[in-house]
Amino acid sequence: MSRWPDYLAKLTSAEDVLAMLPGDADGLERAEVEKMLFAALASGWLTTFADRDRPDFVPAVGTHFNLVGTNPDFIYAAASIDGSGSYLITGERGECLFLQMDIAAGGLAVMDALGPSLGTIDFDDLALDGAGRFSLMLSAEKPADWQGDWHPLDPTARSLSLRQASYDWGAEREARIAIERTDLTHAPRRWSEAEIAERLMALCAYPKRLAGMAMGFIAGQQQKGLWNAFEHDDWAGRGGVEGQRYYQGLFRLEPDCALVLETDLPETVRYWNVQLNDMRWNTLDWMNHQCSLNGGQASIDADGKFRAVIAMEDPGIANWLDPAGHAQGSIMLRWTGASSGPAPTLSCIAAGDVLEQLGPGTRRVTPEERQQSLRARRRAVQMRRRW
């Protein structure tokens, strides 16, 4: 008997997410939610048949799955594990700013439920050989004959999430990582009919689950009235990077208005960025728009502050945050490994007064220079590992 009608019925339930749109939503907004649902379905396939006995770090969110506030500077990967098992992780650290792995009791994989973080491993704390290679064992107890790095594995662990951060996209040698389960004999197997059906049904439920979570986050921001304002959140136990300070909110551009983002910088900071997302918590198209800036890309003013302008049209300054045609959306700024967490502000000015308001010290760019930088940005994104 075919289960196809059951799969279609489960997929149809994703229409409930459309009901989360405001009553005055137009056709384009509805189409963008429908697009997000298909993106969630496609991204879900990558983890639908994740095997805890034969794990693999698969791509997570990225340029084409730019869901749930994807950070443009990160390359994400995820693997499903069994907390009662033993896992060997080997590879090369690469040249990225940092490489971190979060061990969690759940995750965003199709077969997982959300669960708290059980600890984060910074690969800079591991022993590296002369070529930057590492060997890390995760298990309940350290094997008696194991000489390399070891980290205890909580029995409730269900997922591993990798993040490698880069300022200089496409120019750095990226990390290479493999994972294998060592407490079981390697024995490939064929999925049973019941297993396939269970996992495909979970995949069909995934668009509603993931898109509903994203829409719920934005709805919460709206209920807090965070228009052109920020709140602080550490995202502890909810997928955030350990030791990272987040400032998040919503932006709204009135006609002929630009928003100036201003913030002090910490005295020391390992990594920072700011990015724009749409009203469905999808990161804007950072390959084709300068909708994000990081600590290596940003221009810092002579007084030591970072200032950027959110404007529909190019204001002619280096630190333009392009909203890609969206008059409103969400915004997030991160400080990682910082000596302090300065709070950013947003202020509205007339779009035509940007250059005058920011003063002559602000780094300016010509239309030709902008074209060159955008083309360089496109190339850099494509040079990174995404699949």
Side-chain angles (χ1 to χ4, degrees):
M1 177 179 176
S2 173
R3 295 182 174 85
W4 195 249
D6 297 329
Y7 297 147
L8 294 180
K10 181 62 72 173
L11 275 171
T12 300
S13 70
E15 190 173 12
D16 293 345
V17 177
L18 291 165
M20 300 176 71
L21 282 166
D24 59 352
D26 60 21
L28 177 57
E29 290 173 299
R30 293 181 63 84
E32 288 178 333
V33 172
E34 291 166 348
K35 176 173 176 263
M36 176 175 63
L37 291 170
F38 276 101
L41 180 66
S43 71
W45 173 257
L46 298 177
T47 60
T48 298
F49 288 92
D51 190 332
R52 302 180 198 282
D53 296 340
R54 284 156 288 275
D56 177 24
F57 281 111
V58 300
V61 289
T63 48
H64 288 65
F65 302 137
N66 54 333
L67 306 157
V68 293
T70 302
N71 185 334
D73 300 317
F74 288 0
I75 296 175
Y76 298 84
S80 294
I81 60 169
D82 178 350
S84 65
S86 299
Y87 295 88
L88 174 61
I89 300 173
T90 55
E92 299 174 3
R93 184 211 179 278
E95 299 169 338
C96 55
L97 277 175
F98 64 77
L99 174 64
Q100 294 182 339
M101 182 174 69
D102 189 47
I103 306 172
L108 287 176
V110 166
M111 301 305 294
D112 286 340
L114 288 176
S117 173
L118 302 171
T120 299
I121 295 173
D122 191 322
F123 283 66
D124 285 348
D125 295 333
L126 304 182
L128 305 178
D129 69 11
R133 294 185 294 254
F134 56 82
S135 295
L136 170 65
M137 178 68 72
L138 303 179
S139 57
E141 296 183 359
K142 184 177 180 179
D145 59 347
W146 180 249
Q147 301 298 315
D149 284 298
W150 170 79
H151 191 280
L153 189 59
D154 190 291
T156 64
R158 301 291 288 171
S159 70
L160 302 175
S161 297
L162 285 169
R163 292 178 177 87
Q164 55 177 313
S166 175
Y167 277 165
D168 195 2
W169 299 347
E172 300 167 332
R173 181 169 54 86
E174 292 165 352
R176 300 197 303 166
I177 300 173
I179 180 172
E180 54 192 298
R181 186 163 184 174
T182 59
D183 61 313
L184 297 178
T185 301
H186 180 67
R189 64 181 176 83
R190 186 178 181 181
W191 295 102
S192 70
E193 178 184 356
E195 288 172 326
I196 292 172
E198 177 191 15
R199 288 169 180 262
L200 289 181
M201 189 62 74
L203 174 61
C204 291
Y206 194 65
K208 178 179 178 179
R209 170 188 160 193
L210 189 64
M213 182 183 77
M215 295 285 283
F217 171 76
I218 294 296
Q221 298 277 282
Q222 291 177 289
Q223 290 169 4
K224 295 175 183 177
L226 291 174
W227 290 108
N228 297 341
F230 290 95
E231 67 168 357
H232 174 262
D233 194 342
D234 62 7
W235 281 87
R238 293 177 288 129
V241 174
E242 185 176 359
Q244 187 162 259
R245 296 177 174 92
Y246 297 83
Y247 286 93
Q248 59 199 21
L250 302 171
F251 71 87
R252 176 184 284 155
L253 290 169
E254 303 296 340
D256 301 317
C257 168
L259 291 170
V260 176
L261 184 152
E262 180 176 320
T263 183
D264 293 315
L265 269 66
E267 184 174 341
T268 59
V269 58
R270 188 179 191 185
Y271 162 82
W272 67 273
N273 93 317
V274 60
Q275 69 183 67
L276 302 182
N277 317 299
D278 65 19
M279 288 298 289
R280 286 150 296 283
W281 206 20
N282 302 314
T283 310
L284 299 181
D285 174 11
W286 66 86
M287 182 191 295
N288 297 297
H289 298 268
Q290 186 174 283
C291 55
S292 71
L293 289 168
N294 63 44
Q297 298 165 338
S299 176
I300 307 303
D301 288 345
D303 62 0
K305 293 189 176 185
F306 168 68
R307 295 179 179 88
V309 173
I310 305 172
M312 298 295 277
E313 302 295 332
D314 187 347
I317 69 164
N319 291 341
W320 176 35
L321 288 172
D322 179 3
H326 295 263
Q328 59 185 29
S330 66
I331 183 170
M332 179 174 279
L333 182 146
R334 301 167 173 87
W335 307 115
T336 302
S339 55
S340 63
T345 61
L346 286 172
S347 56
C348 181
I349 64 173
D353 294 341
V354 169
L355 293 178
E356 180 181 348
Q357 289 281 335
L358 294 184
T362 300
R363 182 169 161 245
R364 306 185 183 195
V365 295
T366 65
E368 293 75 19
E369 290 171 330
R370 182 73 73 196
Q371 275 293 305
Q372 291 174 6
S373 68
L374 288 175
R375 289 182 180 276
R377 187 181 180 98
R378 276 186 53 81
R379 292 192 298 270
V381 171
Q382 293 176 72
M383 289 293 182
R384 304 186 78 193
R385 181 179 180 181
R386 294 181 290 151
W387 313 111

